[in-house]
Amino acid sequence: HGRPEVAIAEDVAVETNRGSWAEVTVPGNWTLQGYGAPHYTNVMMPFQDEPPLVPKENPTGIYSREIEIPKDWAGRRVVLHFGGAESVLAVYVNGTFVGVGKDCRLPSEFDITSHVRVGKKNLVCAVVIKWSDASFVEDQDQWWMAGLHREVFVYSTAPVHIADVFAVGDLENNYRDGRLRLTVKIAFGRMAEAGWSVSARLLDPAGKAVFKKPLVAPFSMGGWTGSPHRLEARFEESVKNPSLWSAESPALYKLVLTLRDPQGKPVESTATRIGFRSVEVRDRQLLINGRKVMIHGVNRHDHHHTKGKALDRETMRLDAVTMKQHNFNAVRCSHYPNDPHWLDLCDEIGLYVIDEANLEAHAYYGQLGHESLWAPAFLDRAVRMVERDKNHPSVILWSLGNETGYGANQDGMAGWIRGRDASRPLHYEPGIWTQGLSMEEQPENFIYEGGDHVTDIVCPMYPTLDSLVKWATDKKHPDQRRPLIMCEYSHAMGNSNGGLADYYDLFEKHPGLQGGFIWEWIDHGLLQTGPDGKPFWAYGGDFGDKPNDLNFVCDGLVWPDRTPHPGIQEFRHLAQPIKVTKFDAKNRIATISNRRDFTDSSDVRIAWRLQCEGNTLAKGVLPTVKIAPGESLQVAIPLPKISSHGEVFLDFRYTTTRDSAWCGRAHVLGWDQIPLGGKRTEAAPAVAMRKAAPLELEKTAAGIRVLGTGFDLSFSESTGRLDAFHFDGQNVLISGPALQVWRGATDNDGIKGWSGQDGKPLGRWLKAGLPDATLSPGPVRARREKSGEITVTCSHVLGCKASDKGVVHRHSYRIRTDGSVVVENVFVVDKLLADLPRLGVRLFVAPGFEHLHWLGRGPFDNYSDRQRAAIVDAFSGTVSGQYVPYILPQEHGNRTDTRWLTLDNGSIRLRVSAPGPLEFSASHFTAEDLFAAFHTYDLTPRKETVLNLDFRQRGLGTASCGPDASPAYRIPAGRHEWSYVIAAEKM
Ligand code: GAL
Ligand code: MG
């Protein structure tokens, strides 16, 4: 229906004939089941109306279902539960209005006892309306969907029933002993009466009873809580030396409660899992169980690529397991209480959670938080979140929401939460800004401070490295209590997470900097079928949704099917629990640090390998070492005498020796590489050097030809470069090295197709006219050297709108008698073209050269500012396998610090090596192909191999939302010299 009022008037009555109604799946979003469509906006509202008004045309779904209430529920209380409805829900039972539910990410429960007929069929109607006043405070950066996306069920209780349980497993005696604080409420549904009691049993993680006898507490009339219909019982008991809950060892206890009537007869029982653990903020630290825990966190939305907001349990488990396997220990439920099963998983598998209220008025930032009209809605979102989730040990912080500014309404939320649950600190990012000013208007020397009432941690989003150092080192700074934990950083959109290691270096250096939460976990692509009949992931605008924010909804570390992006490896390495932090090469002693907080290292297998250019010289496994949490140990590594001439590396690899809830035995926890020196050699393995034979130099109509034994090279006058390379009767190169400065822009360079990108690198490159740059060839000249070698010199000038001499490139080819060619390059980059995407050359290799080998950093993609995890080794793969299918096609597949690489077709091998810097990628797409594509279906692989050889490629940074690549990772103007060797050989 397009109009809720019409829908309700016509269709909720019992008499309506429902025979023709369609079926939809619940839980589910109707927007993904053929009714309407998803709509993506970030900050802006998807419609024009001002709060609290919403469009008259307002998609409305009426769900109806007959339910039979069992006979034995007679005399009992019947409750109807909806886990979540976007955006507002009205419930009717047998045609009678029962109530309304708001806050689409929290359950609404309705007592329908007086509306149902026991033992008979009853008609339940749930009217879900897409837009409501609630939409203005649910303006998170995600798809607008609609429908019942969480579980719906009916349950029954005795009339007098347990209405609430609040169990806190505190710690005492220097974090050794537990203190169980329990508050149980019973509701009578009539005037309360004396004599009721509740008993509690506690089972430890092994299922053994903790107390000899159940604890019993009466509900005394003196324990009056203000309602004549409800009573409260409180009790406390100490628990000696319990297993503590932490993300590393998530020990869960089971609390079983039984309600008894005044005669002592059990009426009902309930159970909840709890943990013993403490959370405190002091001395610029967030302490879990008394220890400062580095937050290796990530933000996560509930998202599924076919089910939208209706996640299945397997997918949630996959998320939790994948996070743990990549060394995450914390997750922020951005930006709303997630599916409740998610918190069960975090309790069980071990993830620290920031639970966040479903409150974001981004389009009305700084406004609604000050308006009393909205105060009840704000408070409600805090209260109901805390009530739903308060017994989860994984929840360590309550968050008041996201991007809504700071006003009295947030103070109200904070005050209520502090009063209700003193066991957890608060988080609220807008609290730390100078109030009344937006983030952009902060004073020059601004340091995060204030907002103590609403946030116990200093939690900026996307701060620069400088501002972190400034906060951490400012001596006069008054805030010596709160730590700084970034609620969002390292925006993972597309090919991203540049500079992550620089953040980690600061965490390790400055007390007070305690990690953060990467933005974000999942690309929110939605699976659709492309024009080629193949599946692809859709983003904003693909459903005809207008206005929209395009692919800004795809900014995760994993694709929508949870396959990790290459960038996740950088994080995994930086956050690894075991690390060689020092190596004394002379005495061969490694300092091994256990960076875990609660667990020793006896479950870790430490293997080492001594390698020279990918060849193993020696290897071994260290005897198991028991390093206490936070401690280091010096261990001698039994290395043999190194006689090798090439570069030598000592690699360490840490694996688990036990199965756990999130990994099997032999799971890789981390790795390190220690360079041990040695000379870099040019040779690739199995190079069959050809016998020296005299070269012939020939002038042809097209240019210059150099002939040797079994090979010839042609340089053309018209293109000014090497244009063909025949070897052993086959053409290896379709075209030779040509200056290349362009790359398929990453989302961080600037989001193509988006306005407002002028200040970004892509904006500058487009303004400079780089995509339309021309390469003007200079003359091709050849000379014979005394040695018998022939040198061919070429030059090109790259001209573009910004500069007609943007880059001058002189390249010479010294052709040796064995057929190898030494290529020497000089680039002179005009000042106006400082900070280019890349500086190097591109070659087109003949089709069929599909096998790739290289010695350099790998195995996964790496860039100058994302290479800490990538070790130097010999790797191999296929050219097709280099493709990284970012949802918005862009630059990928780069490898830095390359010593050599080869491409072969099974009979001939093309080899490139370099004495100095060399970055490369091999692909079936050009930079222009990638830049022109907006979806994966726009790309058709070329038959030939595009070989990009770079003196340097620009770092990645995270400027799609946050700081750009630091200057050290950019390409300055001026003169750059670079050389490499290219050769072909028979296999
Ligand atoms: C933040 C916001 C997130 C998301 C991110 C950009 O400002 O809190 O919800 O929009 O930027 O991807
Ligand atoms: Mg926002």
Side-chain angles (χ1 to χ4, degrees), residues 42-43 139-141 335 360 362 402-403:
N42 172 9
V43 178
D139 180 24
Q140 291 97 351
D141 178 5
H335 301 296
E360 176 164 340
H362 204 163
N402 190 54
E403 299 188 315

Side-chain angles (χ1 to χ4, degrees), residues 40 42-43 140-141 301 332 334-335 360 362 402-403 439 461-462 487-488 491 493 519-520 552 555 960-961:
Y40 169 57
N42 172 9
V43 178
Q140 291 97 351
D141 178 5
H301 273 275
R332 173 175 175 230
S334 53
H335 301 296
E360 176 164 340
H362 204 163
N402 190 54
E403 299 188 315
M439 217 188 287
M461 45 172 78
Y462 312 106
C487 72
E488 296 178 26
H491 199 250
M493 186 173 182
W519 186 269
E520 67 172 305
F552 208 60
D555 48 7
S960 56
C961 182

